[in-house]
């Protein structure tokens, strides 16, 4: 495997573009680290400890309610965030998304302006719960298309609004 570049970070994973020897194209590798998971767990323990402390109003004054709301909000997401360290869950969700998209494409009449448009959900392969390989998606993002709006931008935006927004609503 040859590292090409770092693509950024997800909520907890590092995301890199790599070249895999003997492969026909580049791939995206998503990685989580045990040290990061331990740090997140320690942070949540601190948040839980702080939430129960009587001295917060004395230290924070009129900001106590805002901080208490912050702690409560973060702590309600604890399990969800910690589960993201297991990338096998992302693989399952990607496959489910692919199936939902295929069903939606089959059920919907997209109209003439969207016929012939290709929508691709990347293939994924789980190497371990901390390492996920994803097919490298090519094409332009909506953000890039909107830098120089044209007919492709309009088509992509309609496709997003007509398909992905309802799919996201269904997945929530």
């Amino acid at each position: 495997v040859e590292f090409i570049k770092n693509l950024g970070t997800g909520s907890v994973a590092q995301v890199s573009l790599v070249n895999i020897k003997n492969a026909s194209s580049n791939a995206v590798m998503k990685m989580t680290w045990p040290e990061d998971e331990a740090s997140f767990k320690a942070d949540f323990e601190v948040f839980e400890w702080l939430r129960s402390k009587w001295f917060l109003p004395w230290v924070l004054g009129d900001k106590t309610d805002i901080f208490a709301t912050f702690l409560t909000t973060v702590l309600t997401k604890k399990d969800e965030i910690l589960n993201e360290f297991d990338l096998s869950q992302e693989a399952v969700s990607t496959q489910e998304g692919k199936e939902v998209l295929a069903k939606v494409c089959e059920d919907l009449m997209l109209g003439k302006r969207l016929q012939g448009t290709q929508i691709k959900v990347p293939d994924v392969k789980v190497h371990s719960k901390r390492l996920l390989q994803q097919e490298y998606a090519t094409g332009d993002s909506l953000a890039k298309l909107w830098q120089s709006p044209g007919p492709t931008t309009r088509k992509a935006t309609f496709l997003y609004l007509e398909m992905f927004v309802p799919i996201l609503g269904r997945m929530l």
Side-chain angles (χ1 to χ4, degrees):
V1 174
E2 176 189 359
F3 174 81
I4 297 173
K5 68 178 180 176
N6 187 24
L7 297 175
T9 58
S11 54
V12 299
Q14 300 296 309
V15 184
S16 298
L17 181 63
V18 299
N19 178 273
I20 300 172
K21 292 180 183 178
N22 302 322
S24 60
S25 62
N26 294 333
V28 173
M29 295 298 257
K30 296 183 178 183
M31 301 149 276
T32 62
W33 304 100
E35 299 84 2
D36 293 341
E37 185 174 10
S39 293
F40 270 74
K41 286 178 179 178
D43 289 345
F44 281 120
E45 288 175 14
V46 170
F47 291 157
E48 287 169 348
W49 179 81
L50 281 171
R51 188 168 60 169
S52 67
K53 295 304 160 202
W54 60 268
F55 60 79
L56 282 180
W58 181 71
V59 174
L60 297 174
D62 62 349
K63 304 288 188 216
T64 301
D65 289 341
I66 294 170
F67 188 65
T69 301
F70 164 77
L71 290 176
T72 300
T73 302
V74 169
L75 288 170
T76 61
K77 300 288 185 185
K78 175 183 175 181
D79 291 338
E80 184 179 322
I81 291 169
L82 292 176
N83 286 339
E84 289 189 32
F85 282 94
D86 182 352
L87 295 174
S88 62
Q89 286 301 118
E90 182 170 336
V92 169
S93 297
T94 300
Q95 184 59 39
E96 289 173 355
K98 184 181 277 194
E99 292 167 9
V100 168
L101 180 62
K103 181 73 173 147
V104 168
C105 287
E106 183 180 301
D107 291 348
L108 287 178
M109 297 300 286
L110 295 178
K112 291 181 181 179
R113 72 182 177 283
L114 298 177
Q115 287 179 350
T117 301
Q118 181 182 11
I119 305 168
K120 177 96 169 90
V121 176
D123 292 328
V124 295
K125 179 180 178 182
V126 178
H127 293 279
S128 74
K129 78 176 211 168
R130 296 197 181 279
L131 183 62
L132 176 74
Q133 179 180 334
Q134 179 178 310
E135 180 182 11
Y136 182 58
T138 59
D140 294 325
S141 68
L142 279 178
K144 183 175 180 182
L145 290 172
W146 272 106
Q147 290 174 359
S148 301
T152 304
T153 307
R154 180 180 170 90
K155 187 175 182 179
T157 302
F158 275 118
L159 186 62
Y160 181 78
L161 293 173
E162 291 182 22
M163 293 196 65
F164 287 109
V165 171
I167 288 172
L168 290 173
R170 181 175 175 179
M171 293 174 88
L172 294 175

